[in-house]
Amino acid sequence: MDKKRKYQFQISTQHIDFQKKVSLSSLFHLVLKAAGKDADHNGFGLLKLQSEDYTWVLSRFVMDLERFPLENETITIETWIQDVAAMFTTRNFRIANEEDRLIGYASSSWAVIDMKTRESILLDTLPSLNGFILAETTPIGVPTRIANVKGDIANRFEVKYSHIDVNRHASSPFYIQWIADCFSLDFYLKHKLKRFEINFLKEITFGDAGVVYQKLKAENDYFFQLVTLEKGIACRARMLFEDEETRRFDPGN
């Protein structure tokens, strides 16, 4: 039984930002797509669960990056289940290029909820999960809790039709877009993202509106909190940047 599998994706025009690098939300989406493909292969994918009135929900996620892949680059995302506890399971990822050179690592924590009650269920309901455990960690560890964030309003959002997924709530990549939009283009030219973390706390659904709070806690270390007007805190996140190397113009080139 294979407990680790690799999935290839090409970075296309729809995935890139203005610098022709994959956007954070697109890379996050591809990582989740690898998770979905692997769960389908193992027999506990989304469609299988939904046929039994259950569904997967992402609770926490962390990703460390050496660099962002470029347009037309093919990347390989390797994934495996690290552990299964009573309520949550940890799935890890290694991201590499075609030559297997490291691009980054990610780790995620997932729960299963009852689609009717929206309550979490015990994972022993899915005993097949245990047969795929590979107790192998990554250098970045597992995603952890992000503390409450007090800062300034940096963005606003409203959940509309195009944000809703098959679980009838806002798809997780849109949370990341609302957070990433807190910065200017000039900021992204001068900084590169090294680490991203997010905790999903509440479902947000069609018609929900709110704000994104941003707080700079240390140099290049930003924390965020999405707060809806009616449901309260929906998620917390962190983006850790480093300064881009200054490129000097050489008139001889």
Side-chain angles (χ1 to χ4, degrees), residues 3-213:
K3 296 183 179 181
K4 261 188 181 183
R5 288 191 191 87
K6 295 181 179 181
Y7 301 90
Q8 283 196 332
F9 303 93
Q10 185 177 43
I11 305 303
S12 62
T13 303
Q14 65 181 331
H15 298 129
I16 62 172
D17 65 9
F18 74 104
Q19 298 186 84
K20 296 188 176 182
K21 299 177 181 178
V22 67
S23 68
L24 175 61
S25 59
S26 291
L27 184 57
F28 173 83
H29 175 71
L30 293 177
V31 170
L32 296 196
K33 195 170 182 179
K37 285 177 175 287
D38 201 54
D40 285 339
H41 191 280
N42 292 341
F44 41 79
L46 185 62
L47 293 179
K48 171 64 174 176
L49 261 64
Q50 288 184 335
S51 70
E52 301 171 359
D53 288 326
Y54 298 141
T55 191
W56 286 107
V57 292
L58 180 61
S59 175
R60 295 177 181 177
F61 180 88
V62 59
M63 180 164 59
D64 267 24
L65 294 168
E66 297 290 326
R67 65 175 183 86
F68 274 77
L70 302 173
E71 183 180 16
N72 297 322
E73 187 172 355
T74 297
I75 63 172
T76 298
I77 301 178
E78 185 176 36
T79 184
W80 66 98
I81 295 173
Q82 177 181 315
D83 57 51
V84 179
M87 303 295 289
F88 296 97
T89 178
T90 302
R91 177 179 283 277
N92 294 332
F93 308 86
R94 180 182 182 271
I95 309 165
N97 68 3
E98 286 185 281
E99 290 76 39
D100 201 38
R101 293 179 181 173
L102 181 68
I103 290 174
Y105 289 99
S107 183
S108 56
S109 179
W110 299 78
V112 173
I113 65 169
D114 185 304
M115 294 178 67
K116 294 178 180 177
T117 66
R118 312 307 285 183
E119 297 291 331
S120 297
I121 67 168
L122 294 174
L123 289 182
D124 59 11
T125 305
L126 303 172
S128 57
L129 279 173
N130 293 311
F132 292 92
I133 294 174
L134 178 63
E136 181 179 320
T137 61
T138 71
I140 69 172
V142 298
T144 57
R145 178 182 177 273
I146 299 172
N148 188 53
V149 177
K150 294 182 179 180
D152 299 319
I153 295 175
N155 197 11
R156 299 178 186 273
F157 64 91
E158 182 178 352
V159 181
K160 299 186 177 182
Y161 158 77
S162 60
H163 301 131
I164 301 298
D165 63 17
V166 296
N167 289 325
R168 293 189 174 233
H169 58 207
S171 182
S172 50
F174 289 110
Y175 290 68
I176 296 172
Q177 288 185 14
W178 295 324
I179 292 165
D181 285 347
C182 292
F183 300 100
S184 68
L185 299 187
D186 187 58
F187 180 91
Y188 282 110
L189 286 170
K190 295 177 180 178
H191 301 82
K192 59 182 178 181
L193 182 66
K194 293 296 294 177
R195 185 178 179 92
F196 174 74
E197 303 176 44
I198 189 165
N199 294 176
F200 295 98
L201 303 174
K202 286 182 182 175
E203 292 182 289
I204 54 177
T205 54
F206 184 82
D208 286 337
V211 297
V212 182
Y213 289 97

